[in-house]
């Protein structure tokens, strides 16, 4: 479902490597969510989404360090977007997922991946250009 295609490549090795990992975590979440043979699916999803959150925050730090190192002019708008997304991540609360957990978790996953992959395509790809 989620895979880092060439369209998403920035040409910056460290950034591409971390973006690839973000896609991999998203893919793992998708696979777990849609695998009917996993008994403790919910706990698994909580773990994977926590991992996605943690990795995203670390990635933003690295990306911002890189932008600083090359004196990238649009670093400010990048930082604003990163910060806004971190705030959104903070309010994602899986404990509120009750009625239809699978659908709710899929919605959360879709929301996070839409944002992340759009950001890569429209913002990160401009870094260094
Ligand atoms: Fe990025
Ligand atoms: Fe970014």
């Amino acid at each position: 479902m989620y895979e880092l295609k060439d369209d998403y490549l920035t040409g910056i090795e460290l950034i591409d490597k971390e973006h690839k990992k973000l896609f991999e975590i998203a893919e793992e979440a998708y696979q777990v969510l849609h695998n009917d043979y996993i008994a403790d699916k919910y706990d698994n999803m909580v773990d994977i989404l926590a991992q996605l959150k943690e990795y995203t925050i670390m990635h933003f730090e690295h990306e911002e360090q890189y932008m600083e190192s090359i004196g990238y002019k649009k670093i400010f708008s990048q930082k604003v977007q990163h910060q806004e997304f971190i705030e959104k991540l903070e309010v994602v609360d899986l404990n509120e997922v009750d009625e239809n957990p699978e659908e709710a978790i899929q919605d959360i996953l879709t929301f996070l991946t839409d944002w992340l992959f759009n950001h890569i395509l429209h913002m990160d790809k401009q870094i260094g250009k």
Side-chain angles (χ1 to χ4, degrees), residues 19 59-60 63 67 78 82 115 119-120 123-124 127:
H19 287 165
H59 165 64
F60 286 167
E63 203 176 84
M67 287 186 280
Q78 275 272 2
H82 289 169
W115 190 96
H119 176 84
I120 292 174
M123 296 290 291
D124 292 348
I127 299 172

Side-chain angles (χ1 to χ4, degrees), residues 19-117:
H19 287 165
K20 186 163 182 263
K21 177 74 179 170
L22 287 171
F23 274 88
E24 283 167 6
I25 300 170
E27 178 62 19
E28 194 190 342
Y30 185 86
Q31 294 302 335
V32 167
L33 191 60
H34 295 278
N35 184 338
D36 291 334
Y37 298 100
I38 295 175
D40 49 354
K41 197 188 274 195
Y42 181 78
D43 291 339
N44 252 299
M45 287 305 297
V46 172
D47 287 350
I48 299 169
L49 289 177
Q51 202 192 331
L52 183 64
K53 187 168 161 179
E54 212 173 285
Y55 196 86
T56 299
I57 293 171
M58 188 200 71
H59 165 64
F60 286 167
E61 278 170 24
H62 290 163
E63 203 176 84
E64 287 171 14
Q65 279 164 10
Y66 176 79
M67 287 186 280
E68 254 159 43
S69 78
I70 60 162
Y72 183 55
K73 287 198 200 78
K74 284 187 263 180
I75 187 171
F76 184 72
S77 45
Q78 275 272 2
K79 279 187 170 175
V80 169
Q81 285 206 7
H82 289 169
Q83 196 49 47
E84 280 173 2
F85 188 62
I86 289 173
E87 279 159 25
K88 284 178 186 156
L89 282 171
E90 303 296 347
V91 297
V92 169
D93 186 1
L94 290 174
N95 295 315
E96 284 174 14
V97 169
D98 44 15
E99 297 248 311
N100 190 341
E102 284 196 21
E103 202 183 304
I105 293 173
Q106 178 61 63
D107 286 350
I108 292 170
L109 186 61
T110 303
F111 163 75
L112 298 179
T113 51
D114 276 358
W115 190 96
L116 270 174
F117 304 148

